[in-house]
Amino acid sequence: MLIKVPDLPETAPARIAADLTAVGAPQETAATAAGHLLAHLERRSRHDSTWASPLSGS
C-alpha cells in the first residue's frame, strides 16, 4: 500500500530536529536524523556524496 504524503512545509526539517533534540537526541545529529526521516517519508533516497563507501574503495 502506498501512502500519499502531502507537501511538507519548508520548516518541517527544523521542527523535527528541534523535537528530536527536545526528547534527548544529540543536537549535532538531530538535523541529519530529521532529513533521513523526511526522506523515508517521501520515499526518496538520502545520500551525502562526501560519505566514503567500502564498495567504491574510498
Side-chain angles (χ1 to χ4, degrees), residues 4-27:
K4 181 142 173 89
V5 178
D7 291 332
L8 296 170
E10 289 183 25
T11 58
R15 290 176 65 186
I16 292 172
D19 291 341
L20 289 169
T21 302
V23 297
Q27 190 171 6

Side-chain angles (χ1 to χ4, degrees), residues 4-55:
K4 181 142 173 89
V5 178
D7 291 332
L8 296 170
E10 289 183 25
T11 58
R15 290 176 65 186
I16 292 172
D19 291 341
L20 289 169
T21 302
V23 297
Q27 190 171 6
E28 308 81 50
T29 59
T32 301
H36 284 287
L37 290 168
L38 289 170
H40 178 73
L41 181 66
E42 295 176 335
R43 295 197 182 273
R44 60 183 168 82
S45 64
R46 171 135 166 100
H47 177 71
D48 183 338
S49 61
T50 62
W51 291 343
S53 169
L55 301 176

